Amino acid sequence: MAKLSTTPYRTLSSLSLIHPTRRLVPTRSLSTGSPRHQPSNVGNVGLAEKDAVIGPQANEPLTINGIKARRAKAGKLVAGTAAYSDSDMFKSPQAYDKPKAKRWDHHLSKESIAREPCALKQAAKHLKKPGLISLGGGLPSAENFPIDSINMRVPMPPSFTVDDTASSFQDVKMGKYDVARDENGGVYDLSIAMNYGQSIGSAQLLRWVTEHTELVQRPPYSDWRCSLTIGSTGALEQALRMFCDKARGDSILTEEYSFSTALETAAPLGIRVFGIKMDEQGLLPESMDEILSNWDEKSRGARKPTVLYTVPSGQNPTGATQGEQRRRDIYEVCQKHDVFILEDEPYYFLQMQPYTGPNAPDVPPPATVEEFMRNLIPSLLSMDVDGRVMRMDSFSKVVVPGSRVGWITASEQIIERYIRHAEVCSQGPSGLSQILLYKLVDETWGHEGYLKWLMHMRLEYTRRRNAILAACEKYLPRNIVSWVPPAAGMFLWLKVDHTQHPQAGTKSILEIEEEIFTSCIDKGVLAIRGSWFCAEQDKPPSGLFFRTTYASASEADMARAIERFGNAVRESFTVGR
């Protein structure tokens, strides 16, 4: 193959949407033009030779077909190496017919407020000068990247099982110079993906997540945006540093039992965590209101919390899912006390079929993607009229966790502060991960195919959940162990009635928990101790719990594991079968 002597990727390049028969519309700055049809590029000084250029987004219905029509009218997306983009380029015109979000300056930390654009990126503004030869940017030439092409085989909707993939698949190829050669879609190639990029993520994948967010969530204010992330854990760490300051005694609220990694993220930052009581639908808004209404800084040792961290769907570890009214009540409490919400939703699309019992007929699943979307519980983002929610989405639980790619949605102000942090921290997610996901969810599946994949995952997790529940019914002592069938996610929270333990008067909950946990390990099963998830580690747990998951083990292995767990409980409580 003849070597390319020159490529468009030797220097930083531009981003635009080009239609073969339409004259390009010049980009206007934020100060002189409306953001309705132009990217505002808030706070960005740019890496690219030109500002982003985009044709108007057509006023099409907010449907899958409407998105296709908008794309066709806007033209082909051209986004070279390190080209900057933002969600305003890809949102529908309908998005702007709403009020703007509130400002959150009073909640931001000193660290976040102090962040400025990178100095090297400030120098890049001179690249716009015609004829200028750049010796400044440290982006390597794509000729020196040792990967020429990547191929992957993917299942095609609606046939997603392993057996289906063997007979119904599509081979997807990506080469180094696909854009220059107009091959393999000609929108995103390895020369772009393997080089440095913007901390907000690639324009190609950002367009998809922006469209997806508007299609499913429809935020009710105008200046919302998305940014790609390195996954929700990294996004949470940045968010906590944006909103919390150890020096001013900041604290956060979360569920009484919360994601242990989130707790371990907050602790080294000096952020106190306070737990809110829960029921079968998760966080109790009346408990949250009571805590905030009666807050005493001296006795609590911290300022009144201004941040809520919550996992509304399939909560980790309890598996609880907040219903629509519960979410509205929580949002109302946050409005009352001016609390900003970190909505962590890795399990949102793992909302399962209703559990009808071991011998009852199944409820028919959604037949179409439209019905699937209608059946989803409205998110906190979808009811966020103030712009007080930062929603964290992730590909980890519904595609592949190893991608380390997700995205956040929040107001323009919050996204800009997030970008300022990311560009000196992670610098955005892996380019290789981004191009693999783009080729899968955008170029190969499209929005409809991705939603069909989520429908498949809904049924897959329903089957797995039902299998572990059947094992619980068969092997666990129901007079001691109880549970609520999860409506979403991948966790089953088992409550053990410690008051029935023969040594309940002399042994603590933690001691009984340790005894059962050790016995489980000896018998060959790992069930995670509930105390590890206590939001307030300096207080004794409110009950005796174990977290189990149905995400990975086979149905046969789940049954054996639950039987072993049941035997460990019976031995500890000295009861027979």
Side-chain angles (χ1 to χ4, degrees):
M1 180 180 296
K3 180 181 178 182
L4 293 181
S5 58
T6 60
T7 77
Y9 314 113
R10 295 264 183 101
T11 61
L12 298 163
S13 48
S14 62
L15 183 151
S16 61
L17 279 172
I18 297 177
H19 192 282
T21 60
R22 180 178 292 124
R23 182 174 62 85
L24 294 180
V25 179
T27 298
R28 294 173 290 181
S29 68
L30 181 65
S31 60
T32 60
S34 165
R36 181 178 291 271
H37 297 121
Q38 305 298 337
S40 58
N41 209 3
V42 172
N44 179 68
V45 294
L47 287 173
E49 293 175 354
K50 297 180 181 179
D51 285 330
V53 179
I54 190 171
Q57 292 288 309
N59 193 354
E60 298 288 344
L62 291 177
T63 62
I64 292 171
N65 287 333
I67 291 172
K68 291 178 181 178
R70 283 201 343 247
R71 284 198 179 197
K73 292 178 180 179
K76 184 178 180 180
L77 173 62
V78 178
T81 303
Y84 184 83
S85 64
D86 61 48
S87 290
D88 280 354
M89 298 182 64
F90 312 121
K91 286 155 58 175
S92 72
Q94 297 96 308
Y96 301 100
D97 297 329
K98 299 166 186 173
K100 283 195 170 186
K102 292 185 175 182
R103 297 281 301 181
W104 302 103
D105 306 75
H106 59 297
H107 281 350
L108 292 174
S109 66
K110 289 183 179 179
E111 174 188 351
S112 183
I113 293 172
R115 292 193 181 278
E116 298 287 345
C118 294
L120 290 176
K121 294 183 179 181
Q122 288 179 320
K125 64 187 177 183
H126 298 295
L127 291 172
K128 298 174 178 65
K129 181 179 179 180
L132 183 139
I133 299 173
S134 173
L135 300 179
L139 279 74
S141 168
E143 292 179 348
N144 294 323
F145 298 158
I147 301 174
D148 186 72
S149 65
I150 295 176
N151 295 291
M152 63 179 183
R153 177 165 293 181
V154 300
M156 293 301 293
S159 304
F160 293 115
T161 67
V162 173
D163 292 338
D164 289 335
T165 304
S167 58
S168 175
F169 59 84
Q170 183 167 323
D171 287 326
V172 179
K173 181 177 181 179
M174 56 212 83
K176 190 188 290 188
Y177 301 116
D178 287 345
V179 172
R181 296 169 177 167
D182 197 20
E183 296 176 348
N184 301 318
V187 173
Y188 199 12
D189 63 23
L190 292 175
S191 74
I192 300 170
M194 292 190 293
N195 218 317
Y196 288 109
Q198 291 280 352
S199 58
I200 197 172
S202 69
Q204 292 86 346
L205 191 55
L206 181 65
R207 173 172 65 170
W208 185 90
V209 302
T210 300
E211 293 169 344
H212 173 81
T213 298
E214 189 168 20
L215 178 67
V216 179
Q217 308 298 342
R218 306 193 182 191
Y221 62 96
S222 63
D223 53 333
W224 62 272
R225 288 189 173 184
C226 299
S227 173
L228 297 180
T229 70
I230 57 170
S232 293
T233 302
L236 174 63
E237 194 270 349
Q238 285 188 208
L240 290 176
R241 290 174 62 177
M242 285 169 58
F243 287 100
C244 299
D245 192 333
K246 177 181 179 180
R248 65 186 185 192
D250 284 345
S251 63
I252 64 171
L253 294 173
T254 188
E255 288 89 352
E256 176 184 11
Y257 293 92
S258 188
F259 179 34
S260 57
T261 302
L263 303 176
E264 292 157 356
T265 301
L269 298 176
I271 302 168
R272 292 286 304 276
V273 179
F274 295 94
I276 304 169
K277 292 179 182 178
M278 306 174 69
D279 65 6
E280 66 278 0
Q281 285 194 51
L283 187 156
L284 285 165
E286 54 267 32
S287 173
M288 180 180 176
D289 187 34
E290 180 183 7
I291 289 172
L292 292 170
S293 297
N294 299 298
W295 191 267
D296 181 79
E297 288 192 12
K298 187 175 181 180
S299 62
R300 292 280 190 173
R303 289 176 68 222
K304 181 178 177 179
T306 56
V307 172
L308 168 67
Y309 169 74
T310 183
V311 181
S313 306
Q315 197 256 357
N316 186 357
T318 67
T321 296
Q322 299 167 11
E324 178 179 355
Q325 189 57 51
R326 175 64 58 88
R327 299 181 196 216
R328 295 193 183 280
D329 292 342
I330 290 170
Y331 188 84
E332 184 176 338
V333 173
C334 290
Q335 285 183 307
K336 175 182 176 181
H337 295 280
D338 196 23
V339 171
F340 194 91
I341 303 170
L342 302 179
E343 179 186 24
D344 191 2
E345 279 285 35
Y347 315 107
Y348 181 75
F349 291 104
L350 296 183
Q351 295 180 39
M352 295 172 285
Q353 293 294 102
Y355 181 67
T356 56
N359 300 312
D362 294 333
V363 175
T368 65
V369 295
E370 291 78 15
E371 184 182 356
F372 170 74
M373 288 191 290
R374 285 196 302 270
N375 285 348
L376 294 171
I377 300 171
S379 66
L380 288 167
L381 175 65
S382 73
M383 53 188 74
D384 180 22
V385 294
D386 298 335
R388 70 172 63 248
V389 173
M390 175 192 283
R391 177 184 168 92
M392 294 177 279
D393 279 283
S394 177
F395 288 110
S396 293
K397 300 302 188 290
V398 293
V399 184
V400 285
S403 68
R404 304 317 307 143
V405 177
W407 71 94
I408 59 169
T409 306
S411 70
E412 183 179 276
Q413 180 195 18
I414 299 306
I415 293 295
E416 188 273 334
R417 288 291 87 195
Y418 183 90
I419 293 169
R420 293 288 79 79
H421 189 150
E423 64 190 8
V424 293
C425 179
S426 67
Q427 294 199 32
S430 160
L432 286 175
S433 290
Q434 289 185 72
I435 194 171
L436 290 175
L437 286 167
Y438 166 80
K439 289 286 183 177
L440 177 66
V441 301
D442 188 316
E443 207 167 88
T444 305
W445 285 352
H447 289 289
E448 183 173 13
Y450 179 69
L451 290 168
K452 287 181 177 179
W453 166 257
L454 296 177
M455 293 168 67
H456 165 75
M457 294 297 286
R458 176 189 182 101
L459 296 181
E460 177 68 11
Y461 273 85
T462 298
R463 178 182 63 81
R464 288 178 166 276
R465 177 205 59 189
N466 291 351
I468 199 171
L469 290 175
C472 290
E473 294 279 355
K474 183 175 182 179
Y475 294 114
L476 297 186
R478 293 300 304 272
N479 60 323
I480 299 174
V481 184
S482 61
W483 57 89
V484 175
M490 52 180 60
F491 301 113
L492 176 63
W493 189 239
L494 299 175
K495 180 178 181 179
V496 181
D497 185 359
H498 66 280
T499 63
Q500 296 191 48
H501 196 276
Q503 294 176 291
T506 57
K507 278 190 174 183
S508 68
I509 290 176
L510 290 177
E511 288 173 323
I512 300 172
E513 180 190 67
E514 172 69 22
E515 178 179 285
I516 296 174
F517 178 78
T518 302
S519 178
C520 283
I521 297 299
D522 291 341
K523 296 179 185 304
V525 59
L526 176 63
I528 304 300
R529 298 172 62 167
S531 64
W532 291 353
F533 301 97
C534 286
E536 300 180 56
Q537 288 288 318
D538 56 343
K539 293 183 178 180
S542 60
L544 177 54
F545 301 94
F546 286 88
R547 191 197 75 174
T548 61
T549 178
Y550 43 90
S552 179
S554 68
E555 292 186 20
D557 282 347
M558 278 193 278
R560 282 191 288 269
I562 291 297
E563 183 177 17
R564 293 168 183 174
F565 176 81
N567 290 337
V569 171
R570 288 187 177 91
E571 284 186 10
S572 177
F573 281 71
T574 62
V575 297
R577 297 201 58 163

